[in-house]
Amino acid sequence: LLLFGLLGIVLAISGSWLLARRMAQPIAALEAATRSVGSGEHTQVSVRTRDEISRLARSFNRMVHNIADRERQIAHMAFHDALTGIPNRLLLREQIIQRLKVGGDKPFALLCLDLDNFKPVNDTLGHPTGDALLCEIARRLQAAAENGFVARLGGDEFAIIVEGDARTASALARTILASVADQINVNGHRLVTGTSIGIAISPQDGDDPTLLQKNADLALYRAKNDDKGSFRFFEAAMDAEAQERRALEIDLHDALSNGELELYFQPLFALSQNKVTAFEALLRWNHPKRGLVSPINFIPLAEETGLIIPIGEWVLREACNIAKTWPDHIRVAVNISPVQFRSQRLNALVLQAITSSGIAPNRLELEITESLFIDNIETTLASLHSLRAIGVRVALDDFGTGYSS
């Protein structure tokens, strides 16, 4: 009896140990797999039984598989454009970094391009048509650059990486210009568009992605300014011009508050009356270091940056205040930029300048360019009629040099 009792105890302990081990091993495997998944690894647990623990293991494996699928989807969304499905700016940067690391001195070209006159498509035909146009352009770019890497940077901007030197990049640019220029039928609309391209060659034009993209953008800016529908290679002079332009823009921001702007007055002589009847206000910038800056250099910059609005307000007020000291029969003529004319505040500013200075409305003459009538003739005429209604004179400046010729 004692022997059988001891044997039973040994068997019970052994069975309990084996059962505990059988249960503990899958649980330990699940715990180790959980730690691996937590550290970023995708681990699967092998299932050999059909009990509750095996069901738990299968659920764990499905969860790991679903997590991996979601991570792949998230990674794809993070590095690809949602509209066109092609790589985006982030993946383009990674590609540039990879090529710079692996390729060494092996040259490759970065082409930056954007569509010419894309905004009117969205404005007149709607965003769905504009989106469809972008998808078609992406398809054409991929077909034109079969061995290249095509990415959408945003809006109507794209970029292409292609192995090779300037000759290879030049040939690809010509192919792209011809491909994009072909008419496109989108949503029942026949569209004809174009593109401008800026090209930078690595490593000579940049040995890091930021510098290379900046130089390609500078070349693109030059291409759009020189002649739309063309391509330009980056040149060192472009960077110097851009730096100078940026410095000039910063100085122009402070010119008004620092009192660096001045008005010169050019006499307007009436041949029929044989006398001076008015003076035209000419804006000059007396920079403390640069000296007199030519209006050719800073007026276009002011219009592009929007600084022409506050500068134009100052010119209008200052011209009226100075004209107050002149004889009553002498008028003052002030040039109005198209950017100012599109502002909703222009009429109120004119009335305020006349009122605060105390001059008669007919002593103020606003000189406008004929390009105003091309943009929006109805709005332009309505604004001009309201100015004429209060007595302000309006003159067409540089008549015959533009569209009217």
Side-chain angles (χ1 to χ4, degrees):
L1 290 175
L2 180 61
L3 181 62
F4 279 114
L6 292 173
L7 182 61
I9 293 174
V10 171
L11 290 175
I13 293 174
S14 300
S16 300
W17 180 80
L18 291 173
L19 179 62
R21 182 180 179 185
R22 181 182 177 187
M23 296 178 60
Q25 281 182 337
I27 293 176
L30 280 171
E31 181 187 6
T34 303
R35 286 197 300 268
S36 298
V37 172
S39 63
E41 301 177 10
H42 293 160
T43 304
Q44 294 286 312
V45 178
S46 61
V47 180
R48 296 188 179 91
T49 62
R50 296 184 178 180
D51 54 11
E52 290 80 0
I53 295 179
S54 66
R55 289 197 296 271
L56 177 61
R58 283 191 288 269
S59 298
F60 176 84
N61 290 339
R62 285 195 299 270
M63 180 191 71
V64 172
H65 178 74
N66 292 337
I67 290 175
D69 283 344
R70 283 196 295 271
E71 286 184 351
R72 282 191 292 269
Q73 293 174 4
I74 293 172
H76 186 274
M77 292 172 60
F79 290 101
H80 289 78
D81 177 54
L83 175 64
T84 61
I86 65 176
N88 61 9
R89 185 186 296 270
L90 291 176
L91 191 52
L92 174 73
R93 182 179 177 86
E94 292 297 323
Q95 280 287 320
I96 295 175
I97 293 175
Q98 184 69 17
R99 290 170 188 265
L100 289 172
K101 286 183 178 179
V102 176
D105 294 333
K106 187 177 180 180
F108 67 89
L110 174 63
L111 290 75
C112 288
L113 57 146
D114 65 10
L115 302 182
D116 297 329
N117 303 318
F118 174 73
K119 187 176 183 297
V121 175
N122 275 340
D123 294 343
T124 58
L125 302 179
H127 287 279
T129 300
D131 290 346
L133 173 61
L134 291 174
C135 291
E136 175 61 19
I137 293 297
R139 187 193 66 78
R140 292 190 179 191
L141 292 179
Q142 288 181 307
E146 292 180 343
N147 299 322
F149 179 88
V150 181
R152 182 187 176 208
L153 304 182
D156 62 338
E157 299 180 4
F158 295 85
I160 300 174
I161 301 175
V162 61
E163 299 285 348
D165 55 10
R167 181 178 300 178
T168 303
S170 179
L172 176 59
R174 290 190 179 91
T175 302
I176 291 172
L177 291 177
S179 175
V180 174
D182 285 343
Q183 72 175 38
I184 302 173
N185 293 314
V186 176
N187 296 342
H189 302 284
R190 177 176 172 270
L191 303 178
V192 179
T193 186
T195 186
S196 301
I197 306 175
I199 306 173
I201 308 294
S202 178
Q204 66 189 49
D205 295 334
D207 55 1
D208 69 81
T210 301
L211 181 60
L212 193 64
Q213 286 184 262
K214 185 199 77 169
N215 291 340
D217 284 335
L218 288 174
L220 172 60
Y221 179 81
R222 173 64 63 82
K224 293 185 73 70
N225 280 355
D226 288 353
D227 185 17
K228 288 184 178 181
S230 63
F231 65 92
R232 294 289 184 272
F233 284 91
F234 170 76
E235 300 172 1
M238 295 179 183
D239 186 49
E241 291 175 6
Q243 297 295 337
E244 174 64 19
R245 179 184 175 84
R246 178 60 180 162
L248 196 66
E249 179 184 342
I250 294 174
D251 290 347
L252 189 57
H253 271 279
D254 301 329
L256 188 58
S257 58
N258 293 342
E260 299 172 10
L261 299 180
E262 301 175 352
L263 289 184
Y264 285 27
F265 292 92
Q266 175 176 281
L268 301 179
F269 193 86
L271 294 177
S272 60
Q273 303 176 41
N274 198 31
K275 65 179 181 180
V276 173
T277 57
F279 286 89
E280 180 180 357
L282 305 177
L283 180 62
R284 295 294 181 266
W285 180 11
N286 192 4
H287 193 279
K289 295 181 179 179
R290 303 172 187 265
L292 281 176
V293 181
S294 172
I296 297 177
N297 294 329
F298 74 86
I299 293 295
L301 181 62
E303 290 180 331
E304 291 178 18
T305 58
L307 290 173
I308 195 66
I309 300 296
I311 292 176
E313 294 176 7
W314 176 85
V315 170
L316 192 59
R317 290 193 304 266
E318 186 73 6
C320 289
N321 288 331
I322 294 176
K324 182 181 179 180
T325 63
W326 300 343
D328 292 341
H329 66 281
I330 301 295
R331 304 188 312 273
V332 61
V334 179
N335 289 283
I336 300 297
S337 166
V339 179
Q340 291 175 264
F341 206 89
R342 287 192 290 266
S343 172
Q344 301 296 323
R345 300 179 54 206
L346 179 60
N347 289 18
L349 288 171
V350 170
L351 188 59
Q352 183 182 9
I354 292 173
T355 304
S356 61
S357 63
I359 67 171
N362 61 0
R363 292 186 59 199
L364 175 61
E365 183 175 290
L366 302 181
E367 294 193 356
I368 63 175
T369 60
E370 58 199 75
S371 60
L372 282 175
F373 295 96
I374 304 300
D375 295 337
N376 192 334
I377 187 168
E378 293 181 0
T379 304
T380 299
L381 286 176
S383 183
L384 290 177
H385 281 303
S386 64
L387 290 171
R388 287 288 295 160
I390 62 176
V392 175
R393 300 166 63 95
V394 177
L396 199 57
D397 196 18
D398 295 334
F399 179 76
T401 61
Y403 300 105
S404 64
S405 61

